């Protein structure tokens, strides 16, 4: 049975992003714990050795207690040997790093499956022979078609990522060369191969494949040395694989189902909004850049929303000049009050923003009341008296009253 049968293209992309986020959260939560436990374990073993040695050195220690102390000392020595050979932090890092690619491999298969089902003409690209005797065992042409597609997906998954891309480009008539971070992804994938097959020991193949795909090493790697991962590289990998996955999915979606452009834009914008909301500024910036460079966007309003969200992320990392530059590429004077409000909030003109917020009122579809409470656009504005005054003028009760009510509601709904 097709695992994507009840999913949309947007669902497949969202599920992939959440698997990467799950892996990222596991790293943040459990690697730190593993490191802490490792240090605490070392301290305990040192203390145990000291206690057992003290018990042996005391003249008044009973013979039976000395025997127990000797037994415990031998045990502690064995445990120290095991402890010194253990590396739980590195093991977790490697396991979670490899799992990023497990999620990506599944994602590619699900993406191809959903797109073939959305555009049946793509089945004509499957060039596989099947004996008539086997074909006759299937109850319907649809069942046979699913089997052939699954074989096609398995064949794709067995290829390295360079060949996968070539295959995808050919099947869907697209060009993926515009992803300037592709060489970094190839290096990351090759490093995954090293950890999967030879514990991270650098091979000539690793170096050759990386270089042939345009990757430039900061320091020339040496065959036989061992690579590590580390927190900085791991989180950079999470960001990169998220970018590559979303960009691949969005590109294929727009190519294969061109009349679904509005839904593709909405899904991409929702992802950017979620990253803004979670203060994942780098992901929001990367996807906003991608969105604004798309050849086709469903309408001017969506393009302006992408622009606003891009500016929000830049402002959040104190790139105020760049944020203003992005905004000023467009004319906002003839837009709706909602966009004028966003423009003035991002430029720090809270006095004008107050008047515009009152003009927008409480019945705006673009900026409903909940947006004033959680949209990152209003992060700084929410701390101003201008915002408090405008909120009360629009909704006829204080902002603090609404926030307390929402907090009570959330508290009552906590599971546990």
């Amino acid at each position: 049975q097709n695992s994507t049968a009840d999913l949309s293209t947007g669902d497949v992309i969202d599920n992939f992003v959440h698997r990467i986020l799950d892996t990222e959260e596991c790293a943040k939560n459990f690697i730190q714990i593993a490191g802490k436990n490792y240090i605490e374990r070392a301290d305990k073993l040192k203390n145990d050795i000291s206690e057992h040695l003290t018990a042996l050195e005391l003249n008044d220690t009973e013979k039976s207690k000395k025997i127990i102390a000797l037994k415990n000392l031998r045990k502690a020595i064995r445990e120290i040997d095991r402890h010194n050979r253990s590396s739980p932090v590195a093991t977790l890092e490697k396991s979670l790093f490899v799992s990023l690619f497990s999620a990506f491999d599944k994602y590619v298969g699900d993406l191809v499956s959903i797109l073939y089902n959305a555009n049946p003409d793509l089945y004509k690209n499957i060039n596989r022979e099947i004996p008539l005797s086997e074909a006759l065992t299937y109850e319907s042409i649809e069942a046979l078609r699913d089997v052939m597609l699954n074989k096609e997906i398995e064949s794709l998954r067995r290829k390295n990522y360079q060949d996968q891309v070539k295959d995808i480009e050919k099947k869907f008539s697209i060009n993926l060369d515009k992803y300037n971070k592709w060489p970094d992804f190839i290096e990351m994938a090759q490093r995954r191969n090293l950890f999967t097959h030879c514990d991270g020991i650098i091979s000539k193949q690793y170096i050759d494949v990386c270089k042939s795909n345009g990757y430039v090493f900061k320091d020339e790697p040496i065959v036989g040395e061992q690579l590590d991962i580390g927190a900085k590289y791991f989180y950079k990998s999470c960001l990169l694989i998220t970018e590559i996955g979303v960009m691949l999915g969005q590109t294929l979606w727009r190519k294969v189902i061109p009349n679904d452009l509005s839904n593709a834009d909405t899904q991409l914008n929702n992802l950017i909004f979620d990253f803004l909301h979670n203060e994942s500024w780098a992901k929001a910036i990367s996807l906003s850049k991608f969105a604004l460079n798309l050849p086709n966007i469903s309408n001017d309003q969506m393009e302006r929303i992408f622009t606003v969200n891009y500016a929000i992320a830049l402002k959040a990392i104190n790139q105020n000049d760049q944020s203003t530059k992005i905004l000023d590429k467009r004319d906002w004077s003839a837009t709706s009050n909602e966009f004028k409000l966003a423009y003035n909030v991002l430029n720090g003109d809270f006095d004008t923003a107050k008047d515009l917020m009152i003009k927008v009122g409480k019945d705006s579809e673009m900026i409903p009341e909940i947006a004033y409470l959680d949209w990152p656009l209003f992060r700084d504005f929410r701390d101003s008296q201008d915002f408090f005054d405008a909120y009360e003028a629009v909704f006829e009760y204080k902002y603090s009253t609404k926030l307390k009510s929402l907090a009570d509601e959330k508290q009552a709904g906590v599971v546990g």
Side-chain angles (χ1 to χ4, degrees):
Q1 186 178 355
N2 195 330
S3 62
T4 62
D6 299 322
L7 300 179
S8 68
T9 311
D11 291 332
V12 170
I13 297 174
D14 284 338
N15 288 345
F16 164 71
V17 170
H18 281 285
R19 294 297 75 75
I20 302 302
L21 290 174
D22 287 347
T23 305
E24 202 170 357
E25 287 182 14
C26 284
K28 289 176 180 176
N29 293 332
F30 300 120
I31 290 179
Q32 184 178 4
I33 292 173
K36 180 182 177 183
N37 289 346
Y38 187 78
I39 293 171
E40 290 177 351
R41 177 67 172 161
D43 291 339
K44 182 180 183 303
L45 289 169
K46 291 175 185 176
N47 291 334
D48 288 348
I49 289 285
S50 296
E51 288 179 8
H52 303 328
L53 288 174
T54 300
L56 290 172
E57 290 168 359
L58 292 175
N59 293 327
D60 58 347
T61 302
E62 297 176 8
K63 184 177 180 180
S64 59
K65 290 183 178 180
K66 284 191 175 184
I67 291 174
I68 292 173
L70 287 168
K71 179 180 179 181
N72 289 335
L73 190 60
R74 289 195 300 272
K75 180 181 178 183
I77 290 171
R78 289 195 301 272
E79 289 178 345
I80 288 174
D81 287 339
R82 166 66 193 124
H83 173 80
N84 289 342
R85 286 173 165 276
S86 68
S87 52
V89 169
T91 300
L92 272 174
E93 280 182 347
K94 292 173 187 176
S95 299
L96 292 172
F97 178 70
V98 170
S99 77
L100 292 174
F101 291 90
S102 298
F104 187 81
D105 291 341
K106 181 180 186 305
Y107 169 64
V108 169
D110 289 348
L111 193 58
V112 169
S113 177
I114 201 80
L115 292 172
Y116 267 71
N117 287 324
N119 187 348
D121 284 344
L122 291 170
Y123 282 94
K124 297 174 183 177
N125 295 330
I126 299 179
N127 296 314
R128 287 183 174 274
E129 294 183 358
I130 183 173
L132 178 61
S133 57
E134 181 182 344
L136 292 173
T137 62
Y138 297 102
E139 296 179 356
S140 64
I141 191 65
E142 287 78 16
L144 174 60
R145 190 176 66 178
D146 286 345
V147 169
M148 298 301 288
L149 177 58
N150 287 335
K151 289 182 178 180
E152 191 78 358
I153 290 171
E154 285 308 310
S155 174
L156 180 66
R157 282 173 170 160
R158 284 194 294 270
K159 297 177 180 179
N160 61 45
Y161 290 119
Q162 304 92 285
D163 290 339
Q164 276 191 29
V165 166
K166 291 176 183 176
D167 200 358
I168 289 172
E169 286 180 327
K170 182 178 178 181
K171 288 180 187 299
F172 296 99
S173 301
I174 60 172
N175 187 348
L176 300 176
D177 289 342
K178 60 185 177 180
Y179 297 156
N180 59 3
K181 293 184 180 178
W182 183 250
D184 298 85
F185 178 78
I186 292 298
E187 188 283 326
M188 193 170 77
Q190 289 299 310
R191 188 175 296 218
R192 183 283 301 263
N193 290 344
L194 293 183
F195 283 121
T196 301
H197 302 296
C198 51
D199 198 29
I201 302 298
I202 296 173
S203 65
K204 185 176 183 299
Q205 181 183 11
Y206 161 79
I207 298 172
D208 291 345
V209 171
C210 290
K211 287 184 175 180
S212 67
N213 282 274
Y215 184 79
V216 179
F217 289 100
K218 183 178 179 181
D219 299 307
E220 187 68 19
I222 299 173
V223 174
E225 289 192 350
Q226 189 170 39
L227 291 170
D228 58 11
I229 296 176
K232 183 178 180 181
Y233 184 90
F234 179 83
Y235 292 119
K236 176 186 173 183
S237 300
C238 291
L239 169 61
L240 180 59
I241 203 166
T242 300
E243 291 177 8
I244 293 290
V246 173
M247 291 175 187
L248 175 64
Q250 280 281 331
T251 300
L252 289 173
W253 188 354
R254 292 161 188 273
K255 173 69 177 182
V256 175
I257 322 174
N259 61 351
D260 204 24
L261 192 61
S262 178
N263 285 330
D265 282 344
T266 298
Q267 189 273 339
L268 180 56
N269 183 62
N270 288 343
L271 272 181
I272 294 169
F273 178 85
D274 287 343
F275 287 136
L276 289 175
H277 193 66
N278 294 322
E279 301 186 358
S280 299
W281 310 122
K283 292 186 178 78
I285 288 171
S286 175
L287 293 184
S288 294
K289 282 182 181 179
F290 170 73
L292 289 171
N293 285 319
L294 286 167
N296 293 304
I297 298 175
S298 54
N299 54 56
D300 179 72
Q301 176 176 304
M302 183 59 72
E303 189 169 352
R304 289 181 183 275
I305 291 173
F306 285 143
T307 302
V308 168
N309 284 334
Y310 187 15
I312 291 169
L314 289 170
K315 189 175 179 65
I317 59 172
N318 296 318
Q319 291 192 15
N320 296 331
D321 291 344
Q322 187 65 17
S323 175
T324 301
K325 183 178 178 181
I326 292 297
L327 289 171
D328 288 345
K329 285 183 178 180
R330 305 184 65 86
D331 178 15
W332 302 87
S333 61
T335 58
S336 66
N337 285 327
E338 285 89 345
F339 281 122
K340 290 177 182 176
L341 170 59
Y343 179 82
N344 283 279
V345 165
L346 286 168
N347 281 323
D349 187 353
F350 291 171
D351 187 51
T352 302
K354 170 186 173 181
D355 295 337
L356 286 165
M357 183 172 166
I358 293 171
K359 287 181 181 179
V360 168
K362 62 181 179 181
D363 297 320
S364 170
E365 291 185 7
M366 190 181 299
I367 309 182
E369 183 179 9
I370 189 65
Y372 291 112
L373 276 68
D374 70 356
W375 192 7
L377 168 67
F378 301 113
R379 280 191 346 142
D380 296 331
F381 187 38
R382 273 192 290 263
D383 296 334
S384 70
Q385 189 61 46
D386 287 316
F387 175 81
F388 298 147
D389 293 342
Y391 192 95
E392 187 171 358
V394 171
F395 298 105
E396 299 178 347
Y397 46 78
K398 293 181 182 294
Y399 169 68
S400 58
T401 301
K402 178 63 178 180
L403 202 59
K404 288 176 183 175
S405 173
L406 184 62
D408 288 340
E409 180 183 328
K410 293 295 183 182
Q411 184 184 45
V414 173
V415 177

